[in-house]
Amino acid sequence: MEELVPSSSEPLSPQTLASFRSLIINPSTPQSKISSIFETLTRSLQLTPDSLVLNLLSELASRHSNLSHLVFDSVRSHSLLSSESTRLAAESLDALASISNTEPTLSSAIDELDDRLFVSLCFGPSVSVRSWLLRNAERFRISPYVLLTLFLGFTKDPYPYVRKIALDGLVGVSKSGMIEDHSMINGCYCRAIELLGDMEDQVRSAAIRAVSAWGLILVASNPETKLYWSDDLFVKLCSMGRDMSMEVRVEAFDALGKINVVSEDILLQTLSKRVLAITKEKRSLGQCPAEQFEILASNVAGVLVHGLEDEFYEVRKSACHSLRTLTIISAEFAGEALNLLMDVLNDDSMFVRLEALETMLHMATYGHLKVQGTHMHMFLGTLLDSNTLIRSATRRILKLVKLPNIELFRLSFDSLIENLEKHPQDEADIFSVLFHTGCNHGKFVVSAINEASEEIDQASEGKLGFDSARVAALLVLAISAPLSHGEHFCSIPPRIFSYAVTLLGRISRALTDIMDQNALLAYLSQCSISTTFSATELNIRRGEPCLPVANIEIPNDSSNEINGSTRTSLHQEKDGASELQSWTMREPLELAAPLGGFQVEVHDEVMKPINLILAKVKDIWSSIHSGFTNEVLRTLRNFKEELATFTSDSVGTIDAVAFTLQYLQVIKQLAKELQILELVLLTCTLRLCKVEICCHFATLKKLSTTVSRVESILKSATIEPTIFISEFVLCGRLDQIKAELTIPDNDSENPLPFVSRLPVGIPCDITLHNTSNENKLWLKMSMDDESTQFVFLDLNLYGSSDKVWNACLRMFCLSKNMGVQNVS
């Protein structure tokens, strides 16, 4: 250590300081050496104060807290108070502030520093020191009134950067809340207004921030003068909306968006480039001479229109944002502003379009978005925007908007379908919008579903399929009707809710903010029995996270019971054999208390044969697996004919028959299309494709068994095989086609020899397994220079043994840098 510490009074060299720093930051350095370094740095600071020494002392204090107080006292006595250099004194203040931040017990020591020292340093000759001190004034706990006086004075500094920092300092003082004197607040406000006309862009931008900050304090200071000061502030900021600087205009519109109280006539004037008659009549701009009034009116007239039409997207975006607060002030202003926002939806910038939609969403949240027919085509067109954020924002608005007539409701529905067809990845969000829209427009939903009921019924018969985007959307819309706010009764046919169960997973993903999948299934089960009840009977209110619907326990993976009253149809495997669990209906079927004791009475003469049919369905499942498709279909047809003989008009009978018919339709589809067996074949095939699979023998056995079942069913010749089955190999063994390639005598220690820029031959040994001479084979080699070579092989030139081919060849390439990336 001794050789590192100079014994003389000469300044420490950079090399010595660097050595000191390495020891300071090393946690293994002994404390004795750290103390010795501190003494050396302190002696050097006393003899020849230096910025590097100050920095090292500050870092030493931050890493060795036991020396913080000693370092603080040393810097204050040997550098700050004794320094004749303004810059060094400022750097000493910086070091003291940094040390006090790491050691809270020194915060009081910072408070003891004299305000006069800080002020005197600010008036020093160095502009950079002055700027730094003003920018960091809050670190030194200077009195707010001293700071206020200081900042006000330096707003007249000849240097623009100092004026800007002084204005920003005034904004900081305004946030402290320490200044309560009305005359001082007004003085800061007026001084900032004077600097709105400064020649420098950065100063005008800072002046806008200061005018906004102190103006809002004046607005909040006295309720009796609130509107006066708010109007005055609004007009002053509007005057900067046409500034030559883009940054200044952005600041002006940002500041306008912070004002929440303005006279309505002034607001309306910002949307008209002509001075309105109402502005002249009400004289909200103040009682002033006619010439001054014209100037003020021209500053306000059409300023928001100019902002939304600005050539810079940053200004247009800021103008859109300012409308969020302003549209809440006046409903009339909101209606006029909406016309402008609709035009903004065609803006070239995605950021501006998104900001316009976010503003409209804000308006809808506060009930100020009154959409008219003239707006809808422009608005709904954003659902087809290529940007995900734009489409999402539009859908969020649709969740809240109240449509005045069924024509606009149909137009919105059709646009959402277009969105779904063009961007299927938006399905969950679109379903959520449809559900919320249905809750807000119950009567429109009932009308739309009744018109489309035939289309939905055709889908249930397999003619269209529930995969149709339109049919799926209609089902989501339909199930929202019982939750519509209003006392009208829902007349959606119960069978529609049964159809919706087939989309349970897709719908539940869309409604996670409202209910989980279990609650959704319970709700659909209840509504599929009867929908002749209102939302109030369901005891469902907007905003509740879960639905208190039918008292039905949704089964978990180990149970098929549903509240002991209903058993669900689940395809399970037991001891390797598939069986279909049967449904059992019992009477009476009781619903939850929210329905007020509502019951479905089912007559014995109807219920008994229905339960008998459901019990027989379980017995025909084995016939399906045995391939007796004709017999199964004939049996199911007989069941349907028997159900058609039930003529009772009671609600319970109609619903029970409708359910049983749908149940038989599902079994019919399973019997005809072999969908389950196809999925088993696909699953086995995919498992065999995994190299790491460890149970391939069991998988092959299951695959063989399933193939035999498929062949047995197809031999009956009652149905045509699907494309998947037709292309599937129904018999024979599975052979893996594999190629092995090696390059002999080539490794990292003994690479292939070559001469740069001369051809080089690369030997390749290739072994092919389970390959016939009809297969096409080529060798691909990629080089460092991104060039690629191909060699096509004729397998007839090489010998084979038991489907194993061996080929030896040599590829030639130009050895530029000889960096072979890949040979395959």
Side-chain angles (χ1 to χ4, degrees):
M1 181 68 203
E2 287 73 12
E3 65 273 10
L4 291 177
V5 180
S7 58
S8 65
S9 59
E10 297 179 358
L12 298 176
S13 65
Q15 292 81 3
T16 301
L17 292 175
S19 301
F20 284 176
R21 186 176 186 279
S22 64
L23 291 170
I24 290 172
I25 65 177
N26 187 350
S28 301
T29 303
Q31 189 61 37
S32 59
K33 287 189 178 182
I34 295 296
S35 300
S36 178
I37 292 174
F38 164 69
E39 294 173 359
T40 303
L41 291 174
T42 302
R43 185 167 60 251
S44 175
L45 186 66
Q46 182 179 3
L47 296 175
T48 55
D50 181 76
S51 300
L52 294 177
V53 175
L54 275 174
N55 292 336
L56 269 184
L57 282 170
S58 179
E59 187 165 13
L60 187 148
S62 66
R63 294 179 180 273
H64 302 275
S65 57
N66 59 313
L67 297 176
S68 296
H69 287 78
L70 294 175
V71 173
F72 188 92
D73 294 337
S74 176
V75 172
R76 181 171 57 178
S77 58
H78 299 314
S79 177
L80 178 64
L81 301 180
S82 62
S83 175
E84 297 180 357
S85 168
T86 303
R87 181 178 297 276
L88 188 60
E91 291 175 350
S92 300
L93 274 178
D94 184 24
L96 292 175
S98 299
I99 295 171
S100 65
N101 289 337
T102 60
E103 183 57 51
T105 58
L106 291 172
S107 58
S108 59
I110 281 289
D111 296 336
E112 296 173 2
L113 294 177
D114 196 345
D115 290 353
R116 290 176 296 178
L117 173 63
F118 180 84
V119 173
S120 65
L121 291 176
C122 288
F123 282 97
S126 174
V127 178
S128 60
V129 170
R130 185 186 316 153
S131 302
W132 184 89
L133 287 169
L134 293 175
R135 190 169 57 250
N136 294 275
E138 72 280 357
R139 297 176 60 193
F140 306 109
R141 300 181 176 87
I142 308 299
S143 168
Y145 285 93
V146 173
L147 277 181
L148 186 68
T149 305
L150 202 60
F151 288 139
L152 279 174
F154 281 110
T155 57
K156 298 182 180 181
D157 194 276
Y159 293 95
Y161 188 61
V162 177
R163 298 199 296 275
K164 172 192 175 298
I165 294 175
L167 285 166
D168 288 339
L170 284 177
V171 174
V173 173
S174 72
K175 295 178 180 178
S176 69
M178 300 295 293
I179 309 300
E180 298 179 351
D181 185 85
H182 185 272
S183 59
M184 297 191 71
I185 296 173
N186 191 29
C188 295
Y189 177 66
C190 293
R191 179 57 188 147
I193 289 175
E194 292 176 17
L195 289 174
L196 290 176
D198 196 278
M199 295 295 293
E200 297 293 329
D201 296 349
Q202 59 178 335
V203 178
R204 295 199 301 279
S205 295
I208 290 174
R209 293 192 291 270
V211 167
S212 175
W214 290 102
L216 291 175
I217 294 178
L218 283 173
V219 170
S221 62
N222 189 345
E224 296 180 358
T225 59
K226 181 176 184 178
L227 184 60
Y228 168 79
W229 284 115
S230 185
D231 287 348
D232 185 77
L233 172 61
F234 189 83
V235 172
K236 295 295 190 299
L237 294 175
C238 284
S239 67
M240 305 302 293
R242 298 183 182 87
D243 193 274
M244 295 298 293
S245 167
M246 181 269 289
E247 289 80 8
V248 173
R249 297 198 297 275
V250 170
E251 286 288 351
F253 287 112
D254 286 347
L256 285 173
K258 298 176 182 178
I259 302 176
N260 54 22
V261 177
V262 188
S263 297
E264 187 177 58
D265 57 310
I266 296 180
L267 275 178
L268 294 174
Q269 184 62 74
T270 62
L271 301 179
S272 173
K273 296 180 180 179
R274 295 184 298 103
V275 178
L276 301 175
I278 189 174
T279 305
K280 298 178 180 179
E281 293 172 3
K282 291 193 174 183
R283 306 290 289 185
S284 298
L285 297 175
Q287 299 297 327
C288 53
E291 183 178 351
Q292 185 180 357
F293 177 84
E294 291 296 331
I295 294 174
L296 293 176
S298 63
N299 287 338
V300 177
V303 65
L304 287 173
V305 178
H306 286 288
L308 295 174
E309 296 175 348
D310 197 277
E311 61 178 313
F312 293 97
Y313 85 89
E314 295 92 342
V315 179
R316 302 196 299 273
K317 180 175 180 290
S318 178
C320 282
H321 186 82
S322 68
L323 287 173
R324 290 194 190 186
T325 304
L326 301 178
T327 52
I328 306 305
I329 300 174
S330 165
E332 183 179 355
F333 174 80
E336 296 293 333
L338 184 59
N339 295 327
L340 296 176
L341 287 173
M342 288 298 174
D343 293 334
V344 176
L345 295 181
N346 284 327
D347 197 278
D348 294 336
S349 169
M350 181 274 293
F351 300 103
V352 178
R353 299 198 304 275
L354 183 60
E355 191 64 48
L357 289 169
E358 292 291 348
T359 300
M360 292 165 63
L361 177 63
H362 196 75
M363 295 168 63
T365 303
Y366 285 88
H368 280 197
L369 185 66
K370 307 300 181 184
V371 182
Q372 305 298 324
T374 54
H375 300 147
M376 289 304 290
H377 286 283
M378 186 78 70
F379 170 66
L380 295 174
T382 56
L383 287 172
L384 302 180
D385 196 283
S386 59
N387 187 275
T388 302
L389 296 176
I390 297 291
R391 301 194 304 273
S392 176
T394 305
R395 292 192 293 266
R396 280 187 287 152
I397 296 172
L398 280 175
K399 283 185 178 182
L400 300 178
V401 72
K402 188 69 175 178
L403 300 173
N405 53 60
I406 194 170
E407 288 75 19
L408 294 184
F409 178 82
R410 290 194 182 103
L411 181 61
S412 301
F413 176 78
D414 292 339
S415 298
L416 286 168
I417 298 304
E418 286 188 66
N419 181 182
L420 181 57
E421 291 173 344
K422 186 175 181 181
H423 302 283
Q425 68 273 21
D426 296 347
E427 180 184 273
D429 198 23
I430 292 173
F431 281 3
S432 177
V433 174
L434 288 168
F435 192 86
H436 282 82
T437 302
C439 291
N440 294 332
H441 305 83
K443 292 182 179 180
F444 296 163
V445 172
V446 172
S447 177
I449 296 303
N450 287 336
E451 293 175 1
S453 59
E454 183 177 351
E455 180 181 354
I456 299 175
D457 288 335
Q458 289 179 349
S460 71
E461 295 293 334
K463 298 178 181 178
L464 296 176
F466 290 137
D467 287 338
S468 165
R470 177 177 173 81
V471 174
L474 284 169
L475 290 176
V476 175
L477 196 63
I479 67 174
S480 67
L483 308 183
S484 175
H485 305 294
E487 297 302 321
H488 64 279
F489 284 81
C490 173
S491 59
I492 302 294
R495 66 181 184 279
I496 300 296
F497 296 89
S498 300
Y499 301 156
V501 174
T502 63
L503 304 178
L504 181 65
R506 294 162 63 184
I507 297 177
S508 65
R509 284 192 294 271
L511 304 182
T512 53
D513 60 328
I514 302 175
M515 65 184 98
D516 58 22
Q517 184 166 319
N518 288 348
L520 176 61
L521 180 56
Y523 167 65
L524 294 177
S525 300
Q526 178 172 307
C527 293
S528 64
I529 298 171
S530 175
T531 56
T532 55
F533 41 77
S534 64
T536 54
E537 288 179 303
L538 277 171
N539 193 27
I540 296 171
R541 295 183 295 275
R542 186 66 173 249
E544 291 188 353
C546 189
L547 301 175
V549 291
N551 186 22
I552 300 176
E553 297 178 2
I554 307 303
N556 55 29
D557 292 339
S558 61
S559 173
N560 297 333
E561 294 292 327
I562 303 184
N563 196 34
S565 299
T566 309
R567 290 168 57 101
T568 184
S569 172
L570 294 176
H571 178 251
Q572 297 183 333
E573 286 203 1
K574 190 178 293 183
D575 298 328
S578 298
E579 64 176 48
L580 194 69
Q581 304 299 319
S582 65
W583 280 87
T584 303
M585 290 186 176
R586 299 175 186 173
E587 59 172 61
L589 182 60
E590 298 183 1
L591 299 182
L595 288 177
F598 177 79
Q599 295 183 349
V600 178
E601 296 290 344
V602 181
H603 300 292
D604 288 340
E605 63 270 16
V606 176
M607 198 67 254
K608 289 180 180 178
I610 287 181
N611 281 334
L612 183 60
I613 291 175
L614 293 174
K616 290 181 178 179
V617 171
K618 176 183 177 181
D619 299 330
I620 69 172
W621 187 243
S622 58
S623 300
I624 294 177
H625 280 282
S626 300
F628 301 109
T629 308
N630 284 337
E631 291 75 2
V632 170
L633 295 178
R634 189 181 303 111
T635 302
L636 293 174
R637 188 161 50 249
N638 292 336
F639 288 161
K640 289 184 177 182
E641 292 174 356
E642 184 177 352
L643 288 171
T645 62
F646 299 149
T647 58
S648 176
D649 293 331
S650 68
V651 175
T653 301
I654 295 174
D655 293 336
V657 172
F659 166 78
T660 309
L661 285 172
Q662 289 299 316
Y663 183 63
L664 295 178
Q665 181 67 21
V666 172
I667 302 300
K668 177 182 176 182
Q669 295 299 323
L670 290 176
K672 290 177 60 178
E673 297 183 11
L674 298 174
Q675 291 174 336
I676 294 179
L677 295 180
E678 288 188 12
L679 288 175
V680 172
L681 289 174
L682 178 60
T683 302
C684 293
T685 305
L686 292 176
R687 293 187 66 189
L688 288 173
C689 292
K690 288 187 176 182
V691 177
E692 67 275 11
I693 188 170
C694 59
C695 53
H696 58 279
F697 290 112
T699 304
L700 284 172
K701 182 178 180 181
K702 188 170 185 178
L703 180 65
S704 176
T705 303
T706 307
V707 168
S708 299
R709 288 185 181 178
V710 172
E711 288 178 330
S712 175
I713 294 175
L714 292 177
K715 285 179 180 179
S716 65
T718 58
I719 56 175
E720 292 294 328
T722 62
I723 297 176
F724 175 76
I725 292 295
S726 299
E727 296 182 353
F728 197 89
V729 179
L730 299 181
C731 60
R733 55 177 292 174
L734 295 176
D735 294 325
Q736 180 186 13
I737 299 177
K738 183 174 65 172
E740 298 174 353
L741 183 146
T742 59
I743 300 178
D745 302 325
N746 177 50
D747 52 46
S748 58
E749 297 181 357
N750 299 293
L752 291 173
F754 69 95
V755 178
S756 180
R757 299 187 180 277
L758 292 180
V760 60
I762 300 177
C764 300
D765 290 344
I766 304 174
T767 302
L768 306 175
H769 300 269
N770 300 314
T771 306
S772 69
N773 56 1
E774 297 178 355
N775 290 115
K776 304 297 182 182
L777 181 69
W778 67 89
L779 190 65
K780 172 185 174 183
M781 182 168 63
S782 303
M783 308 295 293
D784 277 342
D785 58 359
E786 298 185 356
S787 62
T788 303
Q789 292 180 254
F790 292 90
V791 174
F792 291 89
L793 304 181
D794 185 357
L795 294 181
N796 292 318
L797 300 178
Y798 303 95
S800 67
S801 174
D802 194 19
K803 294 187 178 181
V804 178
W805 300 74
N806 293 289
C808 298
L809 67 153
R810 187 176 295 270
M811 286 192 68
F812 288 89
C813 64
L814 186 61
S815 57
K816 199 171 185 180
N817 295 315
M818 200 49 199
V820 179
Q821 292 181 334
N822 181 40
V823 180
S824 59

